[in-house]
């Protein structure tokens, strides 16, 4: 049986107890889940776009492919929407957040948290924030590095594009969209990991819905996370065959919408956890 988690700290230095407990949870969860061997698949996943853009930077390409920095911007926009959001962020959040509670149950250590004098809402907040810090850091850094590598072959023009305009703004926009994606998908998969004994099946269903989003009617496209993330991208990607072109959601609706859905899902997780009983024999 696993040893009890060392994440709950007493009140120290006059700080409120809930704040000390939250910081203890964050330190313990990040160290346990994201600084050990189990985090290796996440780092390998995040390395994929970096390696692909590195190949773009070092392999010889036709001169016309590198004539204008705008070409690289369009190529990256397509790769970001089709691969980084649909696959990298989605699968990464699936691996991270479904395991936050389900992993404790499988390792038969969840009851230690329930025996500690800590509110269930704070337990949800601590685990979610730890997953969010890890996901946003790992995948956000991967996005920034990938974007920079896309423009290095352009020499001085590429450096100017990245440091002046519009490249610098695009880097911040792509990083922000990545963080919002981790927020939205993280809340979805935190709930999935708590509700379902086998999160793979609902994960595949959600992946199919998000992947098919561009081919759905405009009304159904709005019932997804990916629609609002794509709407926030600074450069539109080229549309493929059979895709349904719908109006992008404005930023004033997309950002608050993702945050509100995230808050609602976390509230449901907290309510669910309040009525959760540990029955290891059923797992």
């Amino acid at each position: 049986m696993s040893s009890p988690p060392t994440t709950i700290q007493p009140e120290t230095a006059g700080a409120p107890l809930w704040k000390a407990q939250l910081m203890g949870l964050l330190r313990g969860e990040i160290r346990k889940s994201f600084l050990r061997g189990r985090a290796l698949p996440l780092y390998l996943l995040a390395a994929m776009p970096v390696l692909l853009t590195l190949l773009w930077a070092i392999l010889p390409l036709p001169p016309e492919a590198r004539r204008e920095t705008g070409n690289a911007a369009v190529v990256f926009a397509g790769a970001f929407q089709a691969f980084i959001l649909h696959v990298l962020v989605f699968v990464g959040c699936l691996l991270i957040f479904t395991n936050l509670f389900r992993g404790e149950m499988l390792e038969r250590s969840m009851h230690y948290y329930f025996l500690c004098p800590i509110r269930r809402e704070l337990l949800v907040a601590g685990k979610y924030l730890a997953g969010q810090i890890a996901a946003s850091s790992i995948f956000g850094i991967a996005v920034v590095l990938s974007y920079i590598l896309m423009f290095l072959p352009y020499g001085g023009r590429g450096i100017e594009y990245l440091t002046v305009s519009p490249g610098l703004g695009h880097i911040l926009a792509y990083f922000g969209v990545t963080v919002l994606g981790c927020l939205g998908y993280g809340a979805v998969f935190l709930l999935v990991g708590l509700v379902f004994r086998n999160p793979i099946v609902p994960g595949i269903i959600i992946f199919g819905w998000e992947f098919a989003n561009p081919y759905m009617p405009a009304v159904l496209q709005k019932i997804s996370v990916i629609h609002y993330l794509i709407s926030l991208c600074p450069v539109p990607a080229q549309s493929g065959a059979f895709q349904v072109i719908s109006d992008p959601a404005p930023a004033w609706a997309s950002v608050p919408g993702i945050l509100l859905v995230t808050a609602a899902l976390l509230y449901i997780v907290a309510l669910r956890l309040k009525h959760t009983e540990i029955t290891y024999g059923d797992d």
Side-chain angles (χ1 to χ4, degrees):
M1 182 172 295
S2 301
S3 59
T6 58
T7 57
I8 311 304
Q9 302 292 334
E11 186 171 2
T12 57
L17 178 59
W18 70 266
K19 187 179 296 186
Q21 290 179 328
L22 181 60
M23 295 306 297
L25 273 169
L26 286 175
R27 288 193 297 267
E29 290 297 320
I30 292 175
R31 181 174 61 251
K32 178 177 64 176
S33 300
F34 310 113
L35 298 179
R36 296 182 181 176
R38 68 172 65 180
L40 182 60
L42 300 177
Y43 298 125
L44 293 177
L45 190 65
M48 293 176 64
V50 179
L51 293 176
L52 290 175
T53 49
L54 180 61
L55 288 176
W56 161 274
I58 63 178
L59 290 179
L61 293 177
E64 59 272 12
R66 290 178 173 166
R67 185 171 299 133
E68 296 293 339
T69 54
N71 293 333
V74 173
V75 171
F76 185 85
F80 181 81
Q81 296 181 24
F83 176 68
I84 293 179
L85 287 182
H86 275 106
V87 179
L88 179 70
V89 173
F90 185 95
V91 175
C93 288
L94 174 65
L95 294 175
I96 292 174
F97 290 93
T98 57
N99 196 50
L100 290 178
F101 286 117
R102 178 55 49 187
E104 299 287 354
M105 294 179 182
L106 292 177
E107 295 177 0
R108 286 166 165 69
S109 59
M110 189 67 191
H111 65 285
Y112 292 119
Y113 289 101
F114 285 5
L115 291 174
C116 292
I118 181 173
R119 294 178 62 87
R120 301 289 174 89
E121 297 90 341
L122 192 62
L123 180 58
V124 171
K127 281 187 167 287
Y128 177 76
L129 286 175
Q132 192 57 229
I133 290 171
S136 298
S137 300
I138 295 171
F139 303 129
I141 291 173
V143 167
V144 171
L145 289 177
S146 300
Y147 192 83
I148 293 174
L149 287 172
M150 286 292 297
F151 291 90
L152 289 185
Y154 293 88
R157 288 179 298 144
I159 299 299
E160 182 180 1
Y161 185 91
L162 290 171
T163 56
V164 184
S165 179
L168 184 58
H170 289 178
I171 290 177
L172 296 176
Y174 283 122
F175 182 83
V177 172
T178 303
V179 172
L180 282 174
C182 293
L183 284 170
Y185 287 130
V188 170
F189 289 123
L190 188 67
L191 179 61
V192 168
L194 185 62
V195 172
F196 295 94
R197 294 181 182 176
N198 184 2
I200 299 301
V201 174
I204 292 174
I205 294 174
I206 297 172
F207 178 82
W209 179 270
E210 296 289 282
F211 187 81
N213 181 267
Y215 307 96
M216 294 179 178
V219 174
L220 293 180
Q221 289 185 13
K222 295 178 173 59
I223 313 175
S224 67
V225 175
I226 197 68
H227 172 73
Y228 300 97
L229 296 178
I230 290 177
S231 299
L232 294 170
C233 291
V235 178
Q238 295 180 347
S239 301
F242 307 111
Q243 289 188 1
V244 178
I245 307 301
S246 62
D247 294 332
W252 62 264
S254 298
V255 176
I258 292 176
L259 296 179
L260 287 174
V261 170
T262 298
L265 290 173
L266 293 179
Y267 178 74
I268 295 173
V269 171
L271 289 180
R272 174 83 181 189
L273 194 65
K274 281 186 175 181
H275 300 90
T276 297
E277 296 182 358
I278 302 302
T279 54
Y280 293 135
D282 295 338
D283 286 328

